[in-house]
Amino acid sequence: MAVRFTTKMMQNTSIRNLNINKQRQEMLTNQMATGKKITRPSDDPVTAIRALKLNASLDKIDQYYERNAKDAQSWLDLTDKAIATVNNIIGGDDGMQVLINQAISEYNNYSDRLNTVKQLVSLAQEYYSVGNADSAGRSLFTGYRTDLPLAFTADKEETYKITEQHTNLDMDKITYVSTGCLREINEGNFNAPNMDTSEYDITTNEIYRFRLAYNKVDEVKEQKVPQLDATGMPVLGPDGKPVMITNKDANGNTIYEPNVSFEFGDFGSAVGTTIFSINPVYAADGVTKVSQDIQFFASGTEEAYMTVVKDPNAVVYIADTGEILLGANVKQTVAELSSDTEIRMSYEKTNWQKNDLDPVHYFYTQRKHETQDRWLEYNENFLMDPTASGKQIIEYDIGNNQTIRVNTTADELFTHGVGRDVNEVQKMIDEQGVLIENLNKVKELIDSGKYDGDDLKRLETQKAALEKAQTYMEDKVTNRLKELQTVFKGYHEQVNVASTNCGTRGSRLELIQNRLSTQQTNYKELVSDNEDADYAELTVQLGSIKMTYESALSSISYVMQTSLLDYIR
């Protein structure tokens, strides 16, 4: 069957083909301008789908490599620098270990040791200051509580209720030199009846104790009770609350509330558990408590330490030094506990000094809310499971199902012991200084020639006693410094472990970054191969289309000029 092609049909077909050619030219021109093969999914659905998948993978890699890994690297670098500073403070050429070794030297006199201890105190303060290092405003060593510094940045008064959890392995032994009245002796009182300390009264005594994490903890408080009217009803103040007054016993003596408790036993058991308790005493379901009164001393006086020497059943709490001293029998009871038996010591502390470690990073702690009448609790899980580390580990996602830990927690690097040890040595040096000063006073009085008879004899006796006390104190300081050699070696090893762990994480991160960099390069090449236009090929295609377009225009112009009349003629 014959098919008839009209002029109109040829014209329409020519124009349609011309438009298709023009569209193709426009598409190639857009590719040349944008550098991409497609500008919309409909241009090439297969390429578009591959582009979506490749770009999604590349975005993940960019997130891991450009953001997460770099942030993790910054955190680890800052942590490593802080650890290096701590390492230098404790084990450097001018660090605390070197100073302790210098102080032990037999060539050092009291003045030399005093200067050395001052340097130790300064380094201890710097040690805790380093704990407040941060990364972009986030504290490095405080776990999830990145908004809180590790140590207080200024003195403040705020009541904290702290519960320390120990075992009998934390009980240690100290030497106490009993000096009688020699610390108070002066020209005005040396011949008083109560100032007759002789060299036979000077003794050294071994005392067992638990040292709290802090000194200068709160003293006992006066017990407050509501004031009652004649009918036995509470008297209300202007605010509508009961008026509180100091509680008195039947003899009119003030009743005090204990500020410290000392307990040990199986806290997780419901029945049949015996818990030794030193104030407060309270009943618990199925739990028997053995109670013993604690003796309170505001400061570490001669009486405070000698109480547990004289009374084997005594327990003494010294607020100023933060010590719980145990008499011989109590010590034996504690020593016979299994090494996994939990020992809890709870107390309050209100006065905080700059560089004191914030207890919320170490212990179960209650802190009074700033504006509301309630207590904020921290680390409740510590009481549930004392064996749990409670570490707040911060990890970064640096790959598919791959994370890396970036933080070093406070307990891995910063310990209360550094400051407490230095403060104890400082106290010993101060006590030695008092004895030296009083010995010089007594010698001056003897050499003055103003005294004879019983007074001179008393001075000679006191001189001998002071010389013996000074010798004992010198030995005590030297022995404690030798012990601190081992103790600070342990602190240094702890810092080295933290440094090694941080360095290991940094090395692992570097390997991962190298892998991510390679993946990023590979995916960028795949994305480029899939999306990017080939300019050389585009140039050839555009040239070809241009020639085709021009030829088509020439042909179409000829067809357009022809009509049916041309064929009739």
Side-chain angles (χ1 to χ4, degrees), residues 48-281:
I49 292 173
R50 287 193 65 200
L52 289 174
K53 292 181 177 180
L54 290 172
N55 278 296
S57 298
L58 182 58
D59 287 343
K60 284 185 178 181
I61 294 173
D62 287 343
Q63 176 68 39
Y64 295 142
Y65 180 63
E66 300 291 347
R67 299 175 182 85
N68 295 16
K70 288 186 177 179
D71 196 9
Q73 183 66 57
S74 173
W75 191 297
L76 287 171
D77 287 344
L78 291 171
T79 301
D80 187 62
K81 290 178 181 177
I83 293 175
T85 301
V86 172
N87 192 24
N88 189 55
I89 290 172
I90 293 180
D93 293 340
D94 298 317
M96 303 179 86
Q97 284 184 292
V98 172
L99 291 175
I100 291 171
N101 292 337
Q102 290 176 357
I104 294 174
S105 173
E106 60 182 8
Y107 299 106
N108 282 342
N109 54 30
Y110 166 76
S111 178
D112 294 332
R113 281 185 171 176
L114 180 61
N115 291 331
T116 300
V117 169
K118 288 180 179 179
Q119 295 180 61
L120 285 172
V121 171
S122 177
L123 287 175
Q125 293 174 348
E126 181 62 23
Y127 167 79
Y128 291 117
S129 294
V130 175
N132 288 335
D134 64 81
S135 173
R138 300 170 297 173
S139 294
L140 294 177
F141 301 106
T142 57
Y144 303 152
R145 302 185 185 99
T146 56
D147 59 325
L148 296 177
L150 180 65
F152 295 114
T153 56
D155 296 351
K156 73 169 185 175
E157 289 190 9
E158 186 174 4
T159 301
Y160 286 69
K161 296 179 180 179
I162 304 165
T163 297
E164 295 187 24
Q165 295 167 274
H166 297 275
T167 67
N168 57 8
L169 298 178
D170 297 316
M171 180 173 62
D172 66 342
K173 180 177 66 176
I174 61 173
T175 299
Y176 180 76
V177 178
S178 175
T179 59
C181 63
L182 297 181
R183 290 187 178 89
E184 292 78 34
I185 195 169
N186 56 53
E187 185 175 2
N189 67 9
F190 78 91
N191 53 4
N194 62 338
M195 302 296 288
D196 56 352
T197 300
S198 69
E199 60 181 309
Y200 302 105
D201 298 318
I202 309 303
T203 60
T204 58
N205 308 274
E206 291 184 350
I207 297 177
Y208 288 84
R209 67 166 184 184
F210 282 93
R211 185 176 67 179
L212 302 178
Y214 303 96
N215 61 355
K216 295 181 173 57
V217 295
D218 288 356
E219 302 178 4
V220 293
K221 301 177 182 178
E222 293 182 350
Q223 189 179 80
K224 298 292 185 180
V225 294
Q227 181 180 356
L228 304 179
D229 60 20
T231 63
M233 297 298 293
V235 177
L236 302 181
D239 58 356
K241 296 181 179 180
V243 176
M244 305 301 289
I245 60 173
T246 301
N247 195 17
K248 306 281 187 178
D249 62 16
N251 298 321
N253 298 318
T254 299
I255 298 177
Y256 290 93
E257 291 183 347
N259 172 53
V260 64
S261 67
F262 177 82
E263 302 174 315
F264 56 78
D266 185 1
F267 293 95
S269 176
V271 181
T273 301
T274 298
I275 299 180
F276 180 89
S277 174
I278 301 173
N279 284 337
V281 181

Side-chain angles (χ1 to χ4, degrees), residues 346-391:
S346 300
Y347 56 95
E348 294 181 11
K349 180 172 172 62
T350 300
N351 295 308
W352 299 93
Q353 295 180 329
K354 181 180 179 181
N355 289 330
D356 280 342
L357 293 174
D358 192 332
V360 303
H361 304 306
Y362 292 88
F363 310 110
Y364 168 68
T365 305
Q366 295 174 284
R367 180 174 66 85
K368 190 67 176 292
H369 194 280
E370 293 85 350
T371 57
Q372 302 176 11
D373 187 19
R374 64 187 180 92
W375 290 86
L376 302 176
E377 290 188 285
Y378 301 85
N379 309 317
E380 298 94 325
N381 61 308
F382 286 13
L383 300 183
M384 303 297 181
D385 183 8
T387 62
S389 65
K391 289 185 181 294

Side-chain angles (χ1 to χ4, degrees), residues 321-338:
T321 62
E323 294 174 294
I324 296 178
L325 311 180
L326 310 179
N329 292 344
V330 181
K331 172 262 175 183
Q332 188 62 31
T333 301
V334 173
E336 291 174 355
L337 296 172
S338 62

Side-chain angles (χ1 to χ4, degrees), residues 110 113-115 117-118 121 183 422-438 470 473 477:
Y110 166 76
R113 281 185 171 176
L114 180 61
N115 291 331
V117 169
K118 288 180 179 179
V121 171
R183 290 187 178 89
V422 170
N423 287 337
E424 278 194 349
V425 173
Q426 184 183 32
K427 181 184 175 184
M428 292 178 189
I429 293 292
D430 290 342
E431 291 175 351
Q432 185 182 11
V434 171
L435 292 175
I436 292 174
E437 182 180 356
N438 289 349
Q470 157 60 13
M473 186 60 70
V477 173

